[in-house]
Amino acid sequence: SPIRNFNGITFLNQFRVSDSTAVGARGAEIFSPGHLAKDASGIFFSAFDRFSVNKIYKFDPAASTVAVVAGQTFTDGFSIAPGENGPATGANILGFGSQISVDSDGSVFFAESSGITGTSQHVVRKIGPTGTLTTVGGIFGIGGSVDPDGDPTLTTPANGRAGKLATKVLLDTPVAVLATAADILVAEAGTFNVLRINKAAGTLSVANTVALANEPDFLVARADGSILVGSNSINTIDRIDAAGAVTTFGTATGFANRGLAVGGATGTTLYVLNGNSDIDVFDINAVDGAIPLYTIVTPNFMLIGGITASGTTITYASTGNQLRRFVDNGTATPAAFDTVAGSFFNVAGTG
Protein backbone atom coordinates (compact mmCIF):
# COMPACT_ATOMS: atom_id res chain seq x y z
CA SER A 1 0.00 0.00 0.00
CA PRO A 2 1.15 3.62 -0.50
CA ILE A 3 3.24 5.43 2.10
CA ARG A 4 1.24 8.53 3.00
CA ASN A 5 1.81 11.91 4.67
CA PHE A 6 5.56 12.19 4.21
CA ASN A 7 6.12 15.95 4.21
CA GLY A 8 2.81 16.38 2.43
CA ILE A 9 3.65 13.98 -0.39
CA THR A 10 2.04 10.65 -1.14
CA PHE A 11 4.39 8.02 -2.54
CA LEU A 12 3.09 5.06 -4.52
CA ASN A 13 4.67 1.66 -4.88
CA GLN A 14 6.65 1.73 -8.12
CA PHE A 15 5.72 -0.66 -10.91
CA ARG A 16 8.56 -1.48 -13.28
CA VAL A 17 7.55 -1.16 -16.93
CA SER A 18 10.03 -3.48 -18.61
CA ASP A 19 8.31 -4.55 -21.83
CA SER A 20 5.09 -4.15 -23.80
CA THR A 21 3.05 -5.61 -20.93
CA ALA A 22 0.88 -2.84 -19.50
CA VAL A 23 1.08 -1.94 -15.82
CA GLY A 24 -0.96 0.44 -13.68
CA ALA A 25 -0.28 4.02 -14.72
CA ARG A 26 -0.32 5.48 -11.21
CA GLY A 27 2.86 4.10 -9.74
CA ALA A 28 4.50 3.24 -13.07
CA GLU A 29 8.26 3.62 -12.87
CA ILE A 30 9.07 6.39 -15.35
CA PHE A 31 11.77 9.05 -15.13
CA SER A 32 11.91 12.53 -16.72
CA PRO A 33 8.91 12.12 -19.04
CA GLY A 34 8.46 14.46 -22.01
CA HIS A 35 7.62 14.68 -25.72
CA LEU A 36 3.90 13.99 -25.55
CA ALA A 37 1.78 13.04 -28.58
CA LYS A 38 -1.71 11.59 -28.77
CA ASP A 39 -4.07 9.59 -30.92
CA ALA A 40 -7.57 8.28 -30.31
CA SER A 41 -6.28 5.40 -28.17
CA GLY A 42 -3.98 7.24 -25.80
CA ILE A 43 -0.94 9.41 -25.17
CA PHE A 44 2.59 8.50 -26.21
CA PHE A 45 5.53 9.99 -24.30
CA SER A 46 9.27 9.56 -23.93
CA ALA A 47 11.01 8.85 -20.63
CA PHE A 48 13.92 6.99 -19.07
CA ASP A 49 13.65 3.69 -17.24
CA ARG A 50 15.62 2.76 -14.09
CA PHE A 51 18.69 1.95 -16.25
CA SER A 52 18.58 5.41 -17.92
CA VAL A 53 17.44 3.76 -21.17
CA ASN A 54 15.47 5.97 -23.58
CA LYS A 55 11.98 4.65 -24.18
CA ILE A 56 8.62 5.61 -25.60
CA TYR A 57 5.66 4.63 -23.45
CA LYS A 58 1.95 4.66 -24.15
CA PHE A 59 -0.55 5.81 -21.54
CA ASP A 60 -4.01 4.31 -22.06
CA PRO A 61 -6.43 6.66 -20.26
CA ALA A 62 -9.38 4.25 -20.51
CA ALA A 63 -7.52 1.41 -18.79
CA SER A 64 -5.19 3.69 -16.76
CA THR A 65 -2.13 1.67 -17.84
CA VAL A 66 1.35 2.35 -19.20
CA ALA A 67 3.28 0.10 -21.61
CA VAL A 68 6.59 0.30 -23.51
CA VAL A 69 6.31 1.05 -27.23
CA ALA A 70 9.99 1.53 -28.08
CA GLY A 71 13.37 1.30 -26.39
CA GLN A 72 15.69 -1.42 -25.30
CA THR A 73 14.31 -4.06 -22.95
CA PHE A 74 16.31 -6.58 -20.94
CA THR A 75 16.11 -10.35 -20.64
CA ASP A 76 18.05 -11.90 -17.74
CA GLY A 77 20.17 -8.77 -17.58
CA PHE A 78 21.08 -8.72 -21.29
CA SER A 79 19.72 -6.22 -23.79
CA ILE A 80 17.73 -7.50 -26.74
CA ALA A 81 19.60 -6.99 -30.02
CA PRO A 82 18.43 -3.82 -31.83
CA GLY A 83 18.02 -3.53 -35.58
CA GLU A 84 16.32 -1.82 -38.50
CA ASN A 85 13.08 -3.54 -39.50
CA GLY A 86 13.01 -5.24 -36.10
CA PRO A 87 10.83 -4.72 -33.04
CA ALA A 88 11.03 -1.19 -31.65
CA THR A 89 11.07 -2.61 -28.13
CA GLY A 90 14.45 -4.18 -28.93
CA ALA A 91 16.09 -1.02 -30.25
CA ASN A 92 18.83 0.90 -28.48
CA ILE A 93 17.60 4.44 -29.22
CA LEU A 94 19.81 7.48 -28.60
CA GLY A 95 16.90 9.83 -27.89
CA PHE A 96 13.71 11.32 -29.27
CA GLY A 97 14.65 14.90 -30.15
CA SER A 98 12.24 17.64 -29.10
CA GLN A 99 8.88 16.41 -30.46
CA ILE A 100 7.40 13.03 -31.35
CA SER A 101 4.23 12.50 -33.38
CA VAL A 102 1.51 9.89 -33.84
CA ASP A 103 -0.09 9.36 -37.25
CA SER A 104 -3.71 8.47 -37.95
CA ASP A 105 -2.83 4.76 -38.32
CA GLY A 106 -1.08 4.64 -34.94
CA SER A 107 2.48 4.95 -36.31
CA VAL A 108 4.86 6.92 -34.10
CA PHE A 109 7.52 9.16 -35.67
CA PHE A 110 10.57 10.67 -33.98
CA ALA A 111 13.97 12.15 -34.73
CA GLU A 112 16.72 10.09 -33.14
CA SER A 113 18.59 12.73 -31.19
CA SER A 114 19.50 13.18 -27.54
CA GLY A 115 17.42 16.29 -26.96
CA ILE A 116 17.38 19.62 -28.71
CA THR A 117 20.57 19.99 -30.82
CA GLY A 118 22.17 17.25 -28.76
CA THR A 119 24.04 14.25 -30.11
CA SER A 120 22.15 13.11 -33.19
CA GLN A 121 21.94 10.03 -35.39
CA HIS A 122 20.56 12.39 -38.09
CA VAL A 123 17.60 10.19 -38.97
CA VAL A 124 13.81 10.24 -38.72
CA ARG A 125 12.38 6.92 -37.57
CA LYS A 126 8.97 5.28 -37.62
CA ILE A 127 7.38 2.75 -35.30
CA GLY A 128 4.71 1.09 -37.42
CA PRO A 129 1.32 -0.04 -36.12
CA THR A 130 2.72 -3.55 -35.54
CA GLY A 131 5.73 -2.22 -33.59
CA THR A 132 8.37 -2.49 -36.33
CA LEU A 133 11.09 0.19 -36.37
CA THR A 134 12.21 1.67 -39.71
CA THR A 135 14.05 4.75 -40.96
CA VAL A 136 12.08 7.16 -43.16
CA GLY A 137 14.61 9.96 -43.57
CA GLY A 138 18.38 10.51 -43.43
CA ILE A 139 21.36 8.16 -43.37
CA PHE A 140 22.05 6.67 -39.96
CA GLY A 141 24.92 8.33 -38.09
CA ILE A 142 25.92 10.70 -40.91
CA GLY A 143 24.91 14.34 -40.61
CA GLY A 144 24.69 16.97 -43.33
CA SER A 145 22.24 18.81 -45.51
CA VAL A 146 23.07 17.70 -49.04
CA ASP A 147 22.40 14.95 -51.51
CA PRO A 148 25.51 12.73 -51.13
CA ASP A 149 25.54 12.20 -54.89
CA GLY A 150 24.96 15.87 -55.73
CA ASP A 151 26.89 19.12 -55.62
CA PRO A 152 28.21 19.63 -52.04
CA THR A 153 28.61 23.41 -52.60
CA LEU A 154 24.88 24.13 -52.95
CA THR A 155 23.63 26.54 -50.30
CA THR A 156 19.88 26.81 -50.92
CA PRO A 157 17.56 25.49 -48.18
CA ALA A 158 17.07 22.27 -50.16
CA ASN A 159 20.80 21.90 -50.93
CA GLY A 160 20.12 19.61 -53.87
CA ARG A 161 17.88 17.33 -51.82
CA ALA A 162 14.49 18.39 -53.20
CA GLY A 163 12.67 15.58 -54.97
CA LYS A 164 15.14 12.93 -53.77
CA LEU A 165 14.19 9.96 -51.60
CA ALA A 166 14.47 11.10 -47.99
CA THR A 167 16.37 7.93 -47.05
CA LYS A 168 19.04 8.70 -49.67
CA VAL A 169 19.98 12.22 -48.55
CA LEU A 170 21.65 13.63 -45.47
CA LEU A 171 19.76 15.38 -42.67
CA ASP A 172 21.42 17.86 -40.32
CA THR A 173 20.23 17.32 -36.74
CA PRO A 174 16.51 16.71 -37.12
CA VAL A 175 14.81 17.31 -33.76
CA ALA A 176 11.02 17.61 -34.13
CA VAL A 177 8.61 15.54 -36.19
CA LEU A 178 4.92 16.08 -37.02
CA ALA A 179 2.75 13.74 -39.09
CA THR A 180 0.13 15.43 -41.28
CA ALA A 181 -2.30 13.95 -43.81
CA ALA A 182 0.19 14.12 -46.70
CA ASP A 183 3.64 14.65 -45.17
CA ILE A 184 5.98 14.03 -42.29
CA LEU A 185 7.21 17.47 -41.22
CA VAL A 186 10.73 17.57 -39.80
CA ALA A 187 12.38 20.47 -37.95
CA GLU A 188 16.04 20.47 -39.01
CA ALA A 189 17.96 22.30 -36.29
CA GLY A 190 21.27 22.23 -38.16
CA THR A 191 19.96 24.37 -41.03
CA PHE A 192 16.98 26.22 -39.46
CA ASN A 193 14.60 24.63 -41.95
CA VAL A 194 11.38 22.62 -41.86
CA LEU A 195 11.42 19.64 -44.22
CA ARG A 196 8.56 17.69 -45.75
CA ILE A 197 8.80 13.95 -46.37
CA ASN A 198 5.95 12.97 -48.66
CA LYS A 199 4.21 9.90 -47.23
CA ALA A 200 3.24 8.42 -50.58
CA ALA A 201 6.47 8.98 -52.52
CA GLY A 202 9.03 9.17 -49.71
CA THR A 203 10.59 12.24 -51.30
CA LEU A 204 11.96 15.29 -49.51
CA SER A 205 11.25 18.99 -49.96
CA VAL A 206 11.71 22.13 -47.85
CA ALA A 207 8.64 23.95 -46.54
CA ASN A 208 10.26 27.40 -46.16
CA THR A 209 11.76 29.43 -49.00
CA VAL A 210 14.35 31.09 -46.75
CA ALA A 211 15.97 29.78 -43.59
CA LEU A 212 14.13 30.53 -40.35
CA ALA A 213 15.46 33.21 -38.01
CA ASN A 214 15.46 30.84 -35.05
CA GLU A 215 16.21 27.19 -34.46
CA PRO A 216 13.04 25.11 -35.10
CA ASP A 217 12.16 22.81 -32.19
CA PHE A 218 8.35 22.40 -32.14
CA LEU A 219 5.78 22.15 -34.95
CA VAL A 220 2.04 22.66 -35.37
CA ALA A 221 0.12 22.44 -38.67
CA ARG A 222 -2.83 24.74 -39.32
CA ALA A 223 -5.88 24.04 -41.48
CA ASP A 224 -4.85 26.70 -44.02
CA GLY A 225 -1.69 24.75 -44.87
CA SER A 226 0.65 26.93 -42.83
CA ILE A 227 3.06 25.64 -40.19
CA LEU A 228 3.75 27.22 -36.81
CA VAL A 229 7.30 26.73 -35.55
CA GLY A 230 8.38 27.22 -31.94
CA SER A 231 11.96 27.61 -30.81
CA ASN A 232 13.53 26.54 -27.53
CA SER A 233 15.90 29.49 -27.71
CA ILE A 234 13.49 32.46 -27.99
CA ASN A 235 9.91 33.39 -27.13
CA THR A 236 8.69 33.97 -30.67
CA ILE A 237 6.94 31.72 -33.17
CA ASP A 238 7.64 31.53 -36.90
CA ARG A 239 4.79 30.97 -39.36
CA ILE A 240 5.52 29.30 -42.70
CA ASP A 241 2.61 29.85 -45.09
CA ALA A 242 1.53 27.37 -47.76
CA ALA A 243 3.79 29.11 -50.31
CA GLY A 244 6.85 28.93 -48.02
CA ALA A 245 6.98 32.59 -46.90
CA VAL A 246 8.07 33.13 -43.30
CA THR A 247 6.72 35.65 -40.77
CA THR A 248 7.48 35.93 -37.06
CA PHE A 249 5.28 36.94 -34.14
CA GLY A 250 5.93 37.14 -30.43
CA THR A 251 4.50 35.47 -27.39
CA ALA A 252 3.90 37.88 -24.54
CA THR A 253 5.34 35.84 -21.70
CA GLY A 254 8.12 33.38 -21.05
CA PHE A 255 11.70 33.16 -22.22
CA ALA A 256 11.38 30.42 -24.84
CA ASN A 257 8.94 27.90 -26.25
CA ARG A 258 9.05 24.40 -24.81
CA GLY A 259 6.11 22.77 -26.54
CA LEU A 260 3.06 23.43 -28.72
CA ALA A 261 -0.33 21.72 -28.77
CA VAL A 262 -3.67 22.27 -30.48
CA GLY A 263 -6.99 21.66 -28.72
CA GLY A 264 -9.82 23.59 -27.13
CA ALA A 265 -13.57 23.10 -27.34
CA THR A 266 -13.58 23.66 -31.12
CA GLY A 267 -10.05 22.41 -31.87
CA THR A 268 -8.82 25.92 -32.68
CA THR A 269 -6.89 26.76 -29.51
CA LEU A 270 -3.10 26.89 -29.59
CA TYR A 271 -1.39 26.10 -26.29
CA VAL A 272 2.22 27.30 -26.03
CA LEU A 273 4.27 25.96 -23.12
CA ASN A 274 6.62 28.83 -22.32
CA GLY A 275 9.91 29.16 -20.50
CA ASN A 276 8.16 30.18 -17.28
CA SER A 277 6.55 26.73 -17.16
CA ASP A 278 3.18 28.36 -17.83
CA ILE A 279 0.93 28.01 -20.87
CA ASP A 280 0.07 30.87 -23.24
CA VAL A 281 -3.32 30.41 -24.92
CA PHE A 282 -4.03 31.68 -28.44
CA ASP A 283 -6.78 31.45 -31.03
CA ILE A 284 -4.87 29.47 -33.67
CA ASN A 285 -6.69 31.27 -36.52
CA ALA A 286 -5.89 34.73 -35.19
CA VAL A 287 -2.50 34.15 -33.68
CA ASP A 288 -0.28 36.12 -36.06
CA GLY A 289 1.04 39.16 -34.25
CA ALA A 290 -1.30 38.59 -31.30
CA ILE A 291 -0.71 38.46 -27.60
CA PRO A 292 -2.14 35.49 -25.68
CA LEU A 293 -5.84 35.45 -24.82
CA TYR A 294 -4.66 34.51 -21.33
CA THR A 295 -1.82 32.62 -19.65
CA ILE A 296 -2.48 29.51 -17.56
CA VAL A 297 -0.36 29.46 -14.42
CA THR A 298 0.65 25.98 -13.25
CA PRO A 299 1.23 26.28 -9.49
CA ASN A 300 2.10 22.71 -8.54
CA PHE A 301 4.81 20.58 -10.15
CA MET A 302 6.65 22.56 -12.79
CA LEU A 303 6.18 21.66 -16.44
CA ILE A 304 9.44 20.36 -17.90
CA GLY A 305 8.45 20.05 -21.55
CA GLY A 306 5.90 17.91 -23.26
CA ILE A 307 2.27 18.96 -23.62
CA THR A 308 -0.76 17.66 -25.49
CA ALA A 309 -4.45 18.52 -25.59
CA SER A 310 -7.65 16.52 -26.03
CA GLY A 311 -10.27 19.21 -26.30
CA THR A 312 -9.84 21.35 -23.20
CA THR A 313 -8.08 18.59 -21.22
CA ILE A 314 -4.35 19.34 -21.06
CA THR A 315 -1.81 16.61 -20.23
CA TYR A 316 1.79 17.54 -19.52
CA ALA A 317 5.06 16.12 -18.19
CA SER A 318 6.17 17.37 -14.80
CA THR A 319 9.27 17.36 -12.61
CA GLY A 320 7.70 14.72 -10.36
CA ASN A 321 8.45 11.86 -12.80
CA GLN A 322 4.81 11.84 -13.76
CA LEU A 323 2.15 12.92 -16.24
CA ARG A 324 -0.41 15.39 -14.93
CA ARG A 325 -3.55 16.92 -16.41
CA PHE A 326 -6.09 19.67 -15.89
CA VAL A 327 -9.05 21.18 -17.72
CA ASP A 328 -8.70 24.58 -19.37
CA ASN A 329 -11.65 26.57 -18.04
CA GLY A 330 -10.88 29.73 -19.98
CA THR A 331 -9.01 31.47 -17.17
CA ALA A 332 -5.48 31.74 -15.80
CA THR A 333 -6.37 29.50 -12.83
CA PRO A 334 -7.75 26.13 -13.97
CA ALA A 335 -9.33 23.56 -11.70
CA ALA A 336 -7.32 21.18 -9.48
CA PHE A 337 -4.57 19.25 -11.19
CA ASP A 338 -4.69 15.46 -11.43
CA THR A 339 -1.89 12.88 -11.73
CA VAL A 340 -2.54 10.24 -14.40
CA ALA A 341 0.79 8.38 -14.52
CA GLY A 342 3.99 8.24 -12.50
CA SER A 343 5.47 7.07 -9.24
CA PHE A 344 4.39 9.79 -6.80
CA PHE A 345 1.98 12.68 -6.66
CA ASN A 346 0.79 15.52 -4.53
CA VAL A 347 -1.95 14.65 -2.04
CA ALA A 348 -3.92 17.82 -2.80
CA GLY A 349 -5.97 17.87 -5.99
CA THR A 350 -5.31 14.33 -7.17
CA GLY A 351 -8.90 13.70 -8.21
Side-chain angles (χ1 to χ4, degrees):
S1 61
I3 301 173
R4 296 186 180 275
N5 299 321
F6 182 76
N7 290 334
I9 299 295
T10 294
F11 289 85
L12 294 180
N13 290 326
Q14 292 187 323
F15 306 126
R16 183 181 174 191
V17 193
S18 58
D19 53 29
S20 58
T21 302
V23 303
R26 283 192 173 190
E29 187 183 68
I30 56 176
F31 301 94
S32 300
H35 309 109
L36 276 63
K38 68 178 179 66
D39 68 1
S41 64
I43 295 173
F44 296 79
F45 63 96
S46 66
F48 297 112
D49 68 6
R50 67 168 68 184
F51 302 106
S52 298
V53 173
N54 290 298
K55 291 186 176 180
I56 291 179
Y57 298 84
K58 180 180 179 180
F59 165 61
D60 182 338
S64 191
T65 57
V66 168
V68 174
V69 174
Q72 204 170 39
T73 56
F74 289 80
T75 301
D76 296 328
F78 296 96
S79 61
I80 298 173
E84 183 80 355
N85 298 312
T89 51
N92 183 9
I93 298 171
L94 176 67
F96 303 101
S98 58
Q99 178 178 326
I100 66 175
S101 182
V102 185
D103 206 352
S104 57
D105 68 351
S107 297
V108 179
F109 293 88
F110 64 92
E112 188 162 351
S113 173
S114 60
I116 298 169
T117 64
T119 303
S120 179
Q121 298 289 20
H122 305 290
V123 289
V124 176
R125 311 198 79 181
K126 172 184 176 181
I127 305 166
T130 61
T132 300
L133 182 68
T134 56
T135 298
V136 297
I139 298 173
F140 198 84
I142 305 176
S145 58
V146 299
D147 171 8
D149 298 321
D151 182 352
T153 65
L154 294 174
T155 57
T156 62
N159 281 359
R161 298 178 293 176
K164 305 293 179 65
L165 285 175
T167 53
K168 301 296 184 182
V169 299
L170 301 183
L171 304 183
D172 190 352
T173 318
V175 290
V177 182
L178 177 65
T180 68
D183 301 308
I184 306 301
L185 302 178
V186 181
E188 190 175 47
T191 63
F192 287 27
N193 291 313
V194 175
L195 311 178
R196 298 182 188 269
I197 299 175
N198 183 270
K199 286 182 180 178
T203 52
L204 184 141
S205 60
V206 178
N208 44 291
T209 54
V210 296
L212 302 173
N214 303 299
E215 176 189 296
D217 297 309
F218 309 101
L219 303 172
V220 160
R222 296 206 302 191
D224 64 0
S226 64
I227 304 165
L228 301 181
V229 187
S231 175
N232 189 66
S233 60
I234 195 168
N235 66 328
T236 58
I237 293 177
D238 289 326
R239 176 180 181 266
I240 305 171
D241 69 18
V246 179
T247 55
T248 301
F249 61 92
T251 59
T253 61
F255 303 103
N257 298 308
R258 299 168 68 178
L260 306 179
V262 178
T266 61
T268 57
T269 300
L270 174 67
Y271 296 100
V272 180
L273 173 58
N274 66 44
N276 287 336
S277 297
D278 297 325
I279 300 172
D280 294 324
V281 182
F282 295 88
D283 177 350
I284 197 171
N285 294 319
V287 71
D288 298 359
I291 62 174
L293 301 173
Y294 52 95
T295 295
I296 297 172
V297 179
T298 56
N300 49 351
F301 287 89
M302 185 180 73
L303 282 70
I304 57 173
I307 179 174
T308 190
S310 297
T312 57
T313 298
I314 313 301
T315 304
Y316 66 92
S318 83
T319 53
N321 292 331
Q322 61 192 225
L323 300 186
R324 292 174 64 79
R325 69 183 172 195
F326 64 91
V327 175
D328 173 19
N329 59 7
T331 74
T333 54
F337 288 50
D338 179 32
T339 296
V340 295
S343 57
F344 69 89
F345 57 93
N346 216 356
V347 174
T350 56

